[in-house]
């Protein structure tokens, strides 16, 4: 049984060089992803109900964070993530598990850091054509 650090900031600092703004982005992106998955499940009953309440998988969260980053920062999304030392989906996993260790997020028995490994390649995921297609507003 892992012990949680009494100081969440020090627990988060152990995960890597991620600033607090990156953790705030992660929390906002998680809320975005949960809403997105709920909408998908409502539109497609074959996906079933959200049995674990607001839980999403590591893969779903990575995709949701990509979409949220593009929605928030547009073509600058990879630059912003890089400035926060987020270069791979593995970084999202390290941050999520640091937040779990700090008592700021929860997980199921099936969740592992490996769920975040290599979900997508950042260069491909944030490629200009993909980002432009994902931005809802017309590009001027």
């Amino acid at each position: 049984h892992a012990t949680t650090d009494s100081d969440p900031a020090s627990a988060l600092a152990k995960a890597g060089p991620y600033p607090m703004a990156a953790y705030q982005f992660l929390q906002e992106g998680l809320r975005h992803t949960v809403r997105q998955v709920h909408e998908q499940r409502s539109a497609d009953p074959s996906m079933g109900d959200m049995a674990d309440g607001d839980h999403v998988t590591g893969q779903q969260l990575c995709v949701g964070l990509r979409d949220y980053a593009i929605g928030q920062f547009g073509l600058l999304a990879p630059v912003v993530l890089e400035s926060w030392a987020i270069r791979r989906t593995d970084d999202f996993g390290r941050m999520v598990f640091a937040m779990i260790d700090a008592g700021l997020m929860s997980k199921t028995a099936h969740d592992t850091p490996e769920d975040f490994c290599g979900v997508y390649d950042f260069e491909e995921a944030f490629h200009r054509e993909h980002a432009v297609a994902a931005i809802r507003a017309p590009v001027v």
Side-chain angles (χ1 to χ4, degrees):
H1 184 290
T3 58
T4 58
D5 199 310
S6 60
D7 176 20
S10 69
L12 297 179
K14 290 178 186 173
Y18 314 111
M20 290 310 293
Y23 286 103
Q24 182 178 350
F25 164 81
L26 185 83
Q27 288 180 309
E28 292 167 359
L30 173 61
R31 285 191 289 275
H32 164 83
T33 303
V34 168
R35 278 194 306 272
Q36 199 175 45
V37 170
H38 272 294
E39 288 172 9
Q40 289 169 352
R41 288 180 187 277
S42 296
D44 184 358
S46 69
M47 291 178 70
D49 292 330
M50 295 269 294
D52 290 326
D54 289 346
H55 184 75
V56 293
T57 67
Q59 292 90 348
Q60 288 171 318
L61 181 55
C62 287
V63 170
L65 289 170
R66 178 202 62 206
D67 295 345
Y68 185 68
I70 291 170
Q72 292 295 303
F73 310 118
L75 296 175
L76 292 177
V79 175
V80 173
L81 294 175
E82 171 74 25
S83 77
W84 290 336
I86 300 172
R87 298 174 182 94
R88 306 179 321 196
T89 57
D90 305 49
D91 290 313
F92 291 142
R94 278 193 281 286
M95 293 172 64
V96 164
F97 276 83
M99 292 179 77
I100 290 167
D101 290 344
L104 303 172
M105 289 178 93
S106 60
K107 71 177 191 86
T108 70
H110 303 291
D111 295 322
T112 68
E114 289 75 28
D115 296 339
F116 294 86
C117 292
V119 176
Y120 51 77
D121 177 82
F122 265 45
E123 189 172 323
E124 290 176 22
F126 294 106
H127 191 269
R128 187 179 195 290
E129 281 77 21
H130 176 80
V132 169
I135 297 171
R136 298 192 202 296
V139 177
V140 182

